[in-house]
Amino acid sequence: MNAHARPETAPALRRADSEGIAVLTLDRPQSRNPLSEAMLAALAESFTSIAADRSVKAVVLAAEGPVFCAGHDLKEMSAHRADPDRGRAYFTDILGRCSGVMQQITALPQPVIAAVEGTATAAGCQLVASCDLAVAGEAARFCTPGVHIGLFCSTPMVALTRNLSAKHAMEMLLLGEMVPADEAARMGLVNRVVAAGSALAETKRLAAVIASKSTATIRIGKRAFYEQREMGLAAAYDHASAVMVENMLARDAEEGIGAFVEKRAPVWEG
């Protein structure tokens, strides 16, 4: 079967685990990997499962086909304009589900790294921005094109404004133009740009580096990063100091510092 002609009855999302890394692959290339009801449900279920799986130390989010993710399934959404409320209840529900998935990524104990080839638009761009790290192939492009169809990308805006400077975020949101990979890296939307076709390999390399660290330490650090970011400066320092005290008392910190002093490799307990 052609890779871009998978039956709609096939799973929307594939998961493959290896050496502590869970690779989640959006697998609806024929419809540009939209964040449809099925895709959102599959992502939510996978993140819930991974959060409780102590064998998983890092997560890679990839996609089949020439489009990473085209955002919401507009055909699916438009079908509900015939509802008695013109779709209000459905739009509220699907946008709430999408926002929930984005927040799951932030709350997930394990770091999530996006491997982006092709285009990531609208809520697909939001998905990339919601990940902890992102690697883009040099042909990748990013866009929040809602203004072209009378629909400001308000929910993608939340993730963009937490990654980009205010003016860069507003530029993307107001113009709706495609941003090439190198410009996305300069803006802070992605961490690095690699040769086309090698984003997944580089993402797995980064995930393997993360997986080699103390799982407990990574979990503590990721949680504290997002918690302090929403605080004022003094509160952030107070919170980070309290977290660091608890971290210093953890067994892995004792082991890591001891190994450094004794010039040996640490043995993590997690």
Side-chain angles (χ1 to χ4, degrees):
M1 177 177 291
N2 186 297
H4 303 306
R6 287 171 172 77
E8 290 294 330
T9 53
L13 186 73
R14 302 197 319 267
R15 175 177 171 179
D17 291 27
S18 177
E19 299 181 340
I21 302 169
V23 178
L24 301 178
T25 304
L26 309 183
D27 198 14
R28 280 290 185 271
Q30 70 274 23
S31 52
R32 304 191 302 166
N33 295 316
L35 293 179
S36 60
E37 292 178 37
M39 188 70 78
L40 288 171
L43 284 167
E45 182 179 0
S46 293
F47 289 142
T48 297
S49 174
I50 287 169
D53 190 342
R54 297 190 68 84
S55 71
V56 177
K57 298 182 178 181
V59 181
V60 168
L61 188 62
E64 282 288 349
V67 174
F68 177 80
C69 178
H72 288 290
D73 189 326
L74 295 182
K75 290 183 179 179
E76 195 174 70
M77 295 179 76
S78 294
H80 287 270
R81 289 195 180 279
D83 294 352
D85 64 353
R86 299 182 57 237
R88 178 181 293 274
Y90 179 80
F91 301 155
T92 300
D93 176 67
I94 199 72
L95 289 169
R97 281 196 258 172
C98 184
S99 296
V101 165
M102 304 301 167
Q103 291 175 78
Q104 274 187 289
I105 294 173
T106 301
L108 203 68
Q110 304 91 336
V112 182
I113 314 174
V116 187
E117 302 282 359
T119 57
T121 59
C125 187
Q126 178 187 5
L127 184 60
V128 175
S130 297
C131 291
D132 303 300
L133 303 175
V135 176
E138 60 187 1
R141 297 187 300 164
F142 305 84
C143 183
T144 49
V147 288
H148 299 318
I149 58 171
L151 184 66
F152 199 84
C153 285
S154 300
T155 43
M157 174 179 67
V158 176
L160 285 180
T161 55
R162 283 161 171 73
N163 284 260
L164 282 61
S165 69
K167 284 184 169 56
H168 283 145
M170 282 295 281
E171 180 180 342
M172 289 191 69
L173 293 162
L174 292 173
L175 301 184
E177 295 177 343
M178 282 289 182
V179 175
D182 58 350
E183 183 70 5
R186 188 180 71 82
M187 288 180 169
L189 181 57
V190 301
N191 294 84
R192 60 190 64 182
V193 179
V194 297
S198 51
L200 182 57
E202 175 64 6
T203 302
K204 287 181 177 179
R205 187 189 71 79
L206 295 179
V209 173
I210 292 170
S212 72
K213 313 301 182 186
S214 160
T215 302
T217 301
I218 295 295
R219 289 174 181 239
I220 289 170
K222 176 175 174 176
R223 183 175 65 248
F225 176 87
Y226 289 110
E227 288 173 342
Q228 65 81 29
R229 189 175 61 166
E230 303 302 322
M231 300 175 180
L233 184 63
Y237 269 114
D238 287 344
H239 180 66
S241 295
V243 169
M244 202 155 190
V245 168
E246 294 304 315
N247 195 171
M248 280 291 291
L249 295 172
R251 177 68 185 89
D252 273 2
E254 182 181 358
E255 165 63 12
I257 293 169
F260 176 80
V261 171
E262 297 164 15
K263 295 181 171 55
R264 61 175 175 80
V267 179
W268 306 122
E269 291 184 5

